[in-house]
Amino acid sequence: MRPSRATIDLDALRHNYRHARALGGGRALAVVKADAYGHGAVACARALEGEADGFGVACIEEALELRESGIRAPILLLEGFFDVEELPLVERHDLWTVVATPWQVDALERHRASRPWRVWLKLDSGMHRLGLSPDEYLPAWQRLRALPWVDAMVAMSHFSRADELGHDSTRAQLATFDAALAQLPAGTPASLANSAALMAWPHSRRDWSRPGLMLYGSHMLDAPRAEADALRAVMRLESKVIAVRELAAGEPIGYAGTFTTTRPTRVGVVAAGYADGYPQYATSGTPVVIDGRPGELIGRVSMDMLTVDLTDHPAAGLGSDIELWGPRLPVADVAARSGNSPYRLLTGLKRVPLRYAGQGPFPATPPS
Ligand SMILES: Cc1ncc(COP(=O)(O)O)c(C=O)c1O
């Protein structure tokens, strides 16, 4: 059997959630969209249920997957509904929804609800993606508040550059958000912080936080923070050496000969490639872990295989364990070597079976 796999440490996930929630000081919505950033949404939500104040997903399909697997905790549609035909489903499955564009406000006004709704109204405080402009915000709030079946509302916004600790835009977004919040009734619950903001921008910590990436043990902060040091990697992507080549100096390795040996070299061929989600253009020198010790990728990554330098690892050989990212090797470090982000790498796994480890409750195998 192909030896590549990803092991998901659910204890680390719970540790990171507790850390995020403690930092925020309020309630924390665990963001499990995109199949929990590639970690398996159902397994992760089950591991957090009972602890997490709720879950954030990208769309109704993701919410229904959680409900169908028995998750009863609150679930928020982070982009709201895409179509009015989703509204009965939102209601039937007791989902919370973001409202982020004028047409969604109009649609809710036309809707006739049969149960109370909770709506998170999103302000565009400067990211200019989703959210109502500051001018649109208060009128939209008042229109929704006037609907008898809207029984609770949360004011929210999202940061574009919270991982850049020296950048002014987060401060500007905070000021824009607070100006809008000041026009709402006192005590209106608010939600701003994603992972980076939770760790690096204390003023963004409000009633609800929305950690995503940090739950999975990674971050993109551009300066050291103790808050990030406490995270534990959740995914370990691993494979094994399936062949060893002894090459003289001056020999090219792999497609396009991007690496030529400069000394007699022992090359380990590893059963993982870009079709598994490992970045195709990770450069020679990208870190790997060979039987627990730091090593390097050499040559271009191919579809199903990649090559590592075993020359300084005399005990390593056929069957050696290769960690491609995980507790010993931050996925962000691998991402940085290929112009990628940890978000992209974690959500990009394909073909690799997920295995779960850690204390229950969790399924022994990924739910189908
Ligand atoms: C609205 C919203 N909130 C929170 C998050 C979580 O962000 P992060 O993974 O950076 O913590 C996301 C993710 O993109 C998001 O879209």
Side-chain angles (χ1 to χ4, degrees):
M1 242 176 40
R2 213 157 166 267
S4 38
R5 71 183 53 166
T7 305
I8 308 298
D9 179 349
L10 296 171
D11 285 341
L13 176 75
R14 277 190 291 266
H15 163 87
N16 295 336
Y17 177 80
R18 286 175 197 145
H19 176 53
R21 194 174 191 280
L23 276 180
R27 286 182 278 180
L29 204 69
V31 177
V32 294
K33 63 180 183 164
D35 206 22
Y37 292 39
H39 295 66
V42 169
C44 290
R46 281 186 182 156
L48 290 174
E49 216 192 13
E51 242 184 276
D53 301 302
F55 297 101
V57 297
C59 56
I60 198 139
E61 290 83 351
E62 292 182 348
L64 296 188
E65 186 194 14
L66 295 185
R67 282 284 183 260
E68 278 156 19
S69 72
I71 301 294
R72 302 265 48 95
I75 300 176
L76 176 68
L77 302 173
L78 290 168
E79 291 161 41
F81 46 93
F82 298 122
D83 196 301
V84 286
E85 275 151 31
E86 291 175 16
L87 296 180
L89 283 175
V90 171
E91 206 159 304
R92 185 167 340 132
H93 294 280
D94 198 10
L95 306 176
W96 298 354
T97 184
V98 166
V99 169
T101 71
W103 79 261
Q104 289 173 325
V105 179
D106 297 343
L108 284 190
E109 265 187 339
R110 284 195 298 270
H111 184 60
R112 295 287 164 263
S114 57
R115 68 151 180 86
W117 277 54
R118 181 168 306 218
V119 174
W120 292 42
L121 188 63
K122 186 167 188 173
L123 172 75
D124 174 11
S125 57
M127 184 166 181
H128 303 329
R129 190 180 59 177
L130 282 184
L132 298 161
S133 72
D135 288 346
E136 293 167 331
Y137 196 74
L138 182 60
W141 181 280
Q142 289 165 336
R143 283 167 62 195
L144 292 175
R145 207 69 206 85
L147 299 173
W149 44 271
V150 171
D151 85 329
M153 285 179 67
V154 176
M156 74 174 283
S157 193
H158 190 53
F159 294 118
S160 55
R161 308 180 75 155
D163 41 16
E164 297 173 56
L165 273 56
H167 204 280
D168 270 347
S169 75
T170 302
R171 221 167 272 116
Q173 285 195 260
L174 272 164
T176 303
F177 183 75
D178 281 336
L181 194 61
Q183 297 183 291
L184 305 180
T188 295
S191 175
L192 270 174
N194 63 343
S195 300
L198 261 179
M199 291 187 282
W201 297 90
H203 293 307
S204 72
R205 298 170 186 163
R206 305 297 168 94
D207 306 85
W208 284 90
S209 60
R210 306 185 310 271
L213 186 63
M214 71 183 293
L215 298 180
Y216 309 102
S218 186
H219 72 89
M220 289 189 71
L221 299 180
D222 66 358
R225 294 287 295 201
E227 291 87 342
D229 295 341
L231 297 175
R232 284 168 54 187
V234 174
M235 181 189 291
R236 180 178 195 267
L237 178 63
E238 61 203 293
S239 189
K240 289 196 184 301
V241 173
I242 56 166
V244 178
R245 305 297 313 266
E246 307 270 358
L247 297 179
E251 296 292 335
I253 298 175
Y255 286 118
T258 59
F259 181 88
T260 301
T261 55
T262 55
R263 59 176 179 168
T265 300
R266 277 180 79 229
V267 181
V269 182
V270 180
Y274 63 80
D276 301 297
Y278 192 86
Q280 181 177 15
Y281 295 112
T283 50
S284 291
T286 298
V288 297
V289 178
I290 301 171
D291 286 335
R293 294 181 49 226
E296 287 185 359
L297 177 89
I298 45 176
R300 177 161 300 172
V301 174
S302 34
M303 189 181 288
D304 315 302
M305 287 173 275
L306 54 80
T307 36
V308 299
D309 191 344
L310 297 182
T311 317
D312 299 326
H313 298 259
L318 269 185
S320 276
D321 181 80
I322 307 295
E323 180 174 314
L324 297 166
W325 62 69
R328 291 194 180 89
L329 173 52
V331 61
D333 292 359
V334 179
R337 295 297 300 240
S338 57
N340 270 297
S341 70
Y343 295 93
R344 176 73 189 88
L345 264 49
L346 292 172
T347 58
L349 278 198
K350 287 168 290 180
R351 190 169 70 173
V352 180
L354 299 186
R355 304 280 158 85
Y356 291 91
Q359 300 265 297
F362 60 87
T365 50
S368 53

PDB file of all heavy atoms in Angstrom, residues 31 33 37 78-79 122 129 156-158 192-196 210-214 343, ligand 1:
ATOM      1  N   VAL A  31     -13.790  27.663  13.102  1.00  0.00           N
ATOM      2  CA  VAL A  31     -14.017  27.711  11.650  1.00  0.00           C
ATOM      3  C   VAL A  31     -13.565  26.366  11.059  1.00  0.00           C
ATOM      4  O   VAL A  31     -12.382  26.015  11.098  1.00  0.00           O
ATOM      5  CB  VAL A  31     -13.289  28.909  11.013  1.00  0.00           C
ATOM      6  CG1 VAL A  31     -13.486  28.903   9.501  1.00  0.00           C
ATOM      7  CG2 VAL A  31     -13.827  30.217  11.607  1.00  0.00           C
ATOM      8  N   LYS A  33     -14.648  25.380   7.850  1.00  0.00           N
ATOM      9  CA  LYS A  33     -14.975  25.369   6.417  1.00  0.00           C
ATOM     10  C   LYS A  33     -13.880  24.624   5.651  1.00  0.00           C
ATOM     11  O   LYS A  33     -12.814  24.314   6.220  1.00  0.00           O
ATOM     12  CB  LYS A  33     -15.125  26.798   5.906  1.00  0.00           C
ATOM     13  CG  LYS A  33     -13.866  27.630   5.995  1.00  0.00           C
ATOM     14  CD  LYS A  33     -14.116  29.032   5.467  1.00  0.00           C
ATOM     15  CE  LYS A  33     -12.828  29.828   5.493  1.00  0.00           C
ATOM     16  NZ  LYS A  33     -12.889  31.020   4.683  1.00  0.00           N
ATOM     17  N   TYR A  37     -10.255  22.912   6.904  1.00  0.00           N
ATOM     18  CA  TYR A  37      -8.946  23.224   6.332  1.00  0.00           C
ATOM     19  C   TYR A  37      -8.191  21.935   5.978  1.00  0.00           C
ATOM     20  O   TYR A  37      -6.977  21.807   6.192  1.00  0.00           O
ATOM     21  CB  TYR A  37      -8.112  24.076   7.296  1.00  0.00           C
ATOM     22  CG  TYR A  37      -8.618  25.487   7.536  1.00  0.00           C
ATOM     23  CD1 TYR A  37      -9.951  25.780   7.656  1.00  0.00           C
ATOM     24  CD2 TYR A  37      -7.720  26.557   7.666  1.00  0.00           C
ATOM     25  CE1 TYR A  37     -10.416  27.082   7.887  1.00  0.00           C
ATOM     26  CE2 TYR A  37      -8.168  27.869   7.891  1.00  0.00           C
ATOM     27  CZ  TYR A  37      -9.519  28.111   8.009  1.00  0.00           C
ATOM     28  OH  TYR A  37      -9.966  29.396   8.242  1.00  0.00           O
ATOM     29  N   LEU A  78     -20.739  31.498   6.959  1.00  0.00           N
ATOM     30  CA  LEU A  78     -19.880  32.692   6.976  1.00  0.00           C
ATOM     31  C   LEU A  78     -20.097  33.590   5.766  1.00  0.00           C
ATOM     32  O   LEU A  78     -19.788  34.780   5.815  1.00  0.00           O
ATOM     33  CB  LEU A  78     -18.405  32.275   7.049  1.00  0.00           C
ATOM     34  CG  LEU A  78     -17.963  31.677   8.383  1.00  0.00           C
ATOM     35  CD1 LEU A  78     -16.587  31.039   8.256  1.00  0.00           C
ATOM     36  CD2 LEU A  78     -17.949  32.734   9.481  1.00  0.00           C
ATOM     37  N   GLU A  79     -20.585  33.030   4.665  1.00  0.00           N
ATOM     38  CA  GLU A  79     -20.873  33.877   3.500  1.00  0.00           C
ATOM     39  C   GLU A  79     -22.369  34.069   3.312  1.00  0.00           C
ATOM     40  O   GLU A  79     -22.809  34.578   2.283  1.00  0.00           O
ATOM     41  CB  GLU A  79     -20.250  33.256   2.242  1.00  0.00           C
ATOM     42  CG  GLU A  79     -18.741  33.311   2.282  1.00  0.00           C
ATOM     43  CD  GLU A  79     -18.082  32.335   1.321  1.00  0.00           C
ATOM     44  OE1 GLU A  79     -18.565  32.179   0.190  1.00  0.00           O
ATOM     45  OE2 GLU A  79     -17.074  31.724   1.717  1.00  0.00           O
ATOM     46  N   LYS A 122     -22.645  41.769   8.470  1.00  0.00           N
ATOM     47  CA  LYS A 122     -21.213  42.000   8.222  1.00  0.00           C
ATOM     48  C   LYS A 122     -20.970  43.391   7.650  1.00  0.00           C
ATOM     49  O   LYS A 122     -21.598  43.800   6.663  1.00  0.00           O
ATOM     50  CB  LYS A 122     -20.694  40.944   7.254  1.00  0.00           C
ATOM     51  CG  LYS A 122     -19.189  41.004   7.034  1.00  0.00           C
ATOM     52  CD  LYS A 122     -18.716  39.753   6.321  1.00  0.00           C
ATOM     53  CE  LYS A 122     -17.205  39.693   6.260  1.00  0.00           C
ATOM     54  NZ  LYS A 122     -16.743  38.419   5.726  1.00  0.00           N
ATOM     55  N   ARG A 129     -14.325  42.992   0.278  1.00  0.00           N
ATOM     56  CA  ARG A 129     -14.723  41.727  -0.333  1.00  0.00           C
ATOM     57  C   ARG A 129     -16.209  41.597  -0.008  1.00  0.00           C
ATOM     58  O   ARG A 129     -17.019  42.178  -0.693  1.00  0.00           O
ATOM     59  CB  ARG A 129     -13.863  40.577   0.234  1.00  0.00           C
ATOM     60  CG  ARG A 129     -14.014  39.270  -0.494  1.00  0.00           C
ATOM     61  CD  ARG A 129     -13.136  38.172   0.105  1.00  0.00           C
ATOM     62  NE  ARG A 129     -13.435  37.909   1.507  1.00  0.00           N
ATOM     63  CZ  ARG A 129     -12.853  36.957   2.238  1.00  0.00           C
ATOM     64  NH1 ARG A 129     -11.917  36.187   1.703  1.00  0.00           N
ATOM     65  NH2 ARG A 129     -13.183  36.765   3.496  1.00  0.00           N
ATOM     66  N   MET A 156     -20.475  42.113  12.822  1.00  0.00           N
ATOM     67  CA  MET A 156     -19.189  41.468  12.537  1.00  0.00           C
ATOM     68  C   MET A 156     -18.449  42.163  11.398  1.00  0.00           C
ATOM     69  O   MET A 156     -19.022  42.914  10.614  1.00  0.00           O
ATOM     70  CB  MET A 156     -19.378  39.987  12.165  1.00  0.00           C
ATOM     71  CG  MET A 156     -19.944  39.768  10.792  1.00  0.00           C
ATOM     72  SD  MET A 156     -20.004  38.017  10.310  1.00  0.00           S
ATOM     73  CE  MET A 156     -18.304  37.667   9.891  1.00  0.00           C
ATOM     74  N   SER A 157     -17.145  41.917  11.355  1.00  0.00           N
ATOM     75  CA  SER A 157     -16.335  42.321  10.217  1.00  0.00           C
ATOM     76  C   SER A 157     -15.148  41.374  10.135  1.00  0.00           C
ATOM     77  O   SER A 157     -14.987  40.491  10.988  1.00  0.00           O
ATOM     78  CB  SER A 157     -15.888  43.782  10.362  1.00  0.00           C
ATOM     79  OG  SER A 157     -15.361  44.238   9.124  1.00  0.00           O
ATOM     80  N   HIS A 158     -14.336  41.542   9.089  1.00  0.00           N
ATOM     81  CA  HIS A 158     -13.225  40.601   8.869  1.00  0.00           C
ATOM     82  C   HIS A 158     -12.000  41.402   8.436  1.00  0.00           C
ATOM     83  O   HIS A 158     -12.119  42.359   7.668  1.00  0.00           O
ATOM     84  CB  HIS A 158     -13.634  39.597   7.785  1.00  0.00           C
ATOM     85  CG  HIS A 158     -12.701  38.439   7.627  1.00  0.00           C
ATOM     86  ND1 HIS A 158     -12.314  37.630   8.677  1.00  0.00           N
ATOM     87  CD2 HIS A 158     -12.079  37.929   6.529  1.00  0.00           C
ATOM     88  CE1 HIS A 158     -11.503  36.684   8.236  1.00  0.00           C
ATOM     89  NE2 HIS A 158     -11.329  36.851   6.934  1.00  0.00           N
ATOM     90  N   LEU A 192     -15.010  40.078  15.524  1.00  0.00           N
ATOM     91  CA  LEU A 192     -14.022  40.610  14.589  1.00  0.00           C
ATOM     92  C   LEU A 192     -12.883  39.645  14.303  1.00  0.00           C
ATOM     93  O   LEU A 192     -12.484  39.488  13.151  1.00  0.00           O
ATOM     94  CB  LEU A 192     -13.388  41.872  15.215  1.00  0.00           C
ATOM     95  CG  LEU A 192     -14.023  43.206  14.938  1.00  0.00           C
ATOM     96  CD1 LEU A 192     -13.320  44.280  15.760  1.00  0.00           C
ATOM     97  CD2 LEU A 192     -13.900  43.541  13.453  1.00  0.00           C
ATOM     98  N   ALA A 193     -12.346  39.046  15.339  1.00  0.00           N
ATOM     99  CA  ALA A 193     -11.010  38.448  15.216  1.00  0.00           C
ATOM    100  C   ALA A 193     -11.012  37.090  14.523  1.00  0.00           C
ATOM    101  O   ALA A 193     -11.736  36.174  14.925  1.00  0.00           O
ATOM    102  CB  ALA A 193     -10.374  38.309  16.592  1.00  0.00           C
ATOM    103  N   ASN A 194     -10.163  36.969  13.517  1.00  0.00           N
ATOM    104  CA  ASN A 194      -9.753  35.666  12.998  1.00  0.00           C
ATOM    105  C   ASN A 194      -8.513  35.245  13.811  1.00  0.00           C
ATOM    106  O   ASN A 194      -8.170  35.878  14.814  1.00  0.00           O
ATOM    107  CB  ASN A 194      -9.461  35.747  11.492  1.00  0.00           C
ATOM    108  CG  ASN A 194      -8.298  36.689  11.198  1.00  0.00           C
ATOM    109  OD1 ASN A 194      -7.912  37.496  12.033  1.00  0.00           O
ATOM    110  ND2 ASN A 194      -7.731  36.583  10.007  1.00  0.00           N
ATOM    111  N   SER A 195      -7.805  34.214  13.360  1.00  0.00           N
ATOM    112  CA  SER A 195      -6.679  33.711  14.153  1.00  0.00           C
ATOM    113  C   SER A 195      -5.616  34.782  14.387  1.00  0.00           C
ATOM    114  O   SER A 195      -5.167  35.005  15.513  1.00  0.00           O
ATOM    115  CB  SER A 195      -6.004  32.537  13.430  1.00  0.00           C
ATOM    116  OG  SER A 195      -6.906  31.498  13.240  1.00  0.00           O
ATOM    117  N   ALA A 196      -5.186  35.421  13.302  1.00  0.00           N
ATOM    118  CA  ALA A 196      -4.080  36.370  13.421  1.00  0.00           C
ATOM    119  C   ALA A 196      -4.452  37.508  14.364  1.00  0.00           C
ATOM    120  O   ALA A 196      -3.646  37.931  15.201  1.00  0.00           O
ATOM    121  CB  ALA A 196      -3.714  36.906  12.042  1.00  0.00           C
ATOM    122  N   ARG A 210     -13.445  34.178  15.761  1.00  0.00           N
ATOM    123  CA  ARG A 210     -13.661  33.183  14.691  1.00  0.00           C
ATOM    124  C   ARG A 210     -12.319  32.584  14.252  1.00  0.00           C
ATOM    125  O   ARG A 210     -11.849  32.822  13.146  1.00  0.00           O
ATOM    126  CB  ARG A 210     -14.361  33.853  13.483  1.00  0.00           C
ATOM    127  CG  ARG A 210     -15.664  34.575  13.836  1.00  0.00           C
ATOM    128  CD  ARG A 210     -16.354  35.095  12.592  1.00  0.00           C
ATOM    129  NE  ARG A 210     -15.485  35.849  11.723  1.00  0.00           N
ATOM    130  CZ  ARG A 210     -15.277  37.161  11.797  1.00  0.00           C
ATOM    131  NH1 ARG A 210     -15.903  37.885  12.722  1.00  0.00           N
ATOM    132  NH2 ARG A 210     -14.458  37.762  10.954  1.00  0.00           N
ATOM    133  N   PRO A 211     -11.688  31.804  15.118  1.00  0.00           N
ATOM    134  CA  PRO A 211     -10.391  31.229  14.748  1.00  0.00           C
ATOM    135  C   PRO A 211     -10.523  30.113  13.723  1.00  0.00           C
ATOM    136  O   PRO A 211     -11.391  29.255  13.841  1.00  0.00           O
ATOM    137  CB  PRO A 211      -9.870  30.670  16.081  1.00  0.00           C
ATOM    138  CG  PRO A 211     -11.113  30.369  16.868  1.00  0.00           C
ATOM    139  CD  PRO A 211     -12.123  31.409  16.469  1.00  0.00           C
ATOM    140  N   GLY A 212      -9.653  30.141  12.725  1.00  0.00           N
ATOM    141  CA  GLY A 212      -9.589  29.067  11.740  1.00  0.00           C
ATOM    142  C   GLY A 212      -8.202  28.455  11.762  1.00  0.00           C
ATOM    143  O   GLY A 212      -7.916  27.501  12.493  1.00  0.00           O
ATOM    144  N   LEU A 213      -7.287  29.067  11.022  1.00  0.00           N
ATOM    145  CA  LEU A 213      -5.957  28.482  10.828  1.00  0.00           C
ATOM    146  C   LEU A 213      -5.277  28.071  12.142  1.00  0.00           C
ATOM    147  O   LEU A 213      -4.639  27.018  12.221  1.00  0.00           O
ATOM    148  CB  LEU A 213      -5.073  29.478  10.072  1.00  0.00           C
ATOM    149  CG  LEU A 213      -3.692  28.974   9.667  1.00  0.00           C
ATOM    150  CD1 LEU A 213      -3.802  27.808   8.697  1.00  0.00           C
ATOM    151  CD2 LEU A 213      -2.863  30.104   9.038  1.00  0.00           C
ATOM    152  N   MET A 214      -5.417  28.892  13.184  1.00  0.00           N
ATOM    153  CA  MET A 214      -4.703  28.567  14.428  1.00  0.00           C
ATOM    154  C   MET A 214      -5.231  27.275  15.076  1.00  0.00           C
ATOM    155  O   MET A 214      -4.504  26.597  15.790  1.00  0.00           O
ATOM    156  CB  MET A 214      -4.738  29.731  15.417  1.00  0.00           C
ATOM    157  CG  MET A 214      -6.081  29.999  16.056  1.00  0.00           C
ATOM    158  SD  MET A 214      -6.056  31.453  17.163  1.00  0.00           S
ATOM    159  CE  MET A 214      -5.007  30.917  18.497  1.00  0.00           C
ATOM    160  N   TYR A 343      -2.586  27.909   4.454  1.00  0.00           N
ATOM    161  CA  TYR A 343      -3.999  27.693   4.100  1.00  0.00           C
ATOM    162  C   TYR A 343      -4.080  26.807   2.847  1.00  0.00           C
ATOM    163  O   TYR A 343      -4.841  25.852   2.779  1.00  0.00           O
ATOM    164  CB  TYR A 343      -4.690  29.020   3.768  1.00  0.00           C
ATOM    165  CG  TYR A 343      -4.824  29.999   4.891  1.00  0.00           C
ATOM    166  CD1 TYR A 343      -3.869  30.986   5.113  1.00  0.00           C
ATOM    167  CD2 TYR A 343      -5.945  29.985   5.726  1.00  0.00           C
ATOM    168  CE1 TYR A 343      -4.011  31.913   6.131  1.00  0.00           C
ATOM    169  CE2 TYR A 343      -6.100  30.913   6.744  1.00  0.00           C
ATOM    170  CZ  TYR A 343      -5.120  31.869   6.951  1.00  0.00           C
ATOM    171  OH  TYR A 343      -5.276  32.787   7.955  1.00  0.00           O
TER     172      TYR A 343
HETATM  173  C1  LIG B   1     -15.402  35.451   7.877  1.00  0.00           C
HETATM  174  C2  LIG B   1     -14.260  34.619   8.350  1.00  0.00           C
HETATM  175  N1  LIG B   1     -13.993  34.539   9.657  1.00  0.00           N
HETATM  176  C3  LIG B   1     -12.968  33.813  10.136  1.00  0.00           C
HETATM  177  C4  LIG B   1     -12.137  33.118   9.293  1.00  0.00           C
HETATM  178  C5  LIG B   1     -10.970  32.340   9.853  1.00  0.00           C
HETATM  179  O1  LIG B   1      -9.780  32.940   9.457  1.00  0.00           O
HETATM  180  P1  LIG B   1      -8.347  32.359   9.903  1.00  0.00           P
HETATM  181  O2  LIG B   1      -8.239  31.009   9.277  1.00  0.00           O
HETATM  182  O3  LIG B   1      -7.371  33.312   9.333  1.00  0.00           O
HETATM  183  O4  LIG B   1      -8.362  32.295  11.376  1.00  0.00           O
HETATM  184  C6  LIG B   1     -12.371  33.180   7.922  1.00  0.00           C
HETATM  185  C7  LIG B   1     -11.468  32.464   7.004  1.00  0.00           C
HETATM  186  O5  LIG B   1     -11.154  32.869   5.941  1.00  0.00           O
HETATM  187  C8  LIG B   1     -13.452  33.946   7.429  1.00  0.00           C
HETATM  188  O6  LIG B   1     -13.721  34.027   6.135  1.00  0.00           O
END
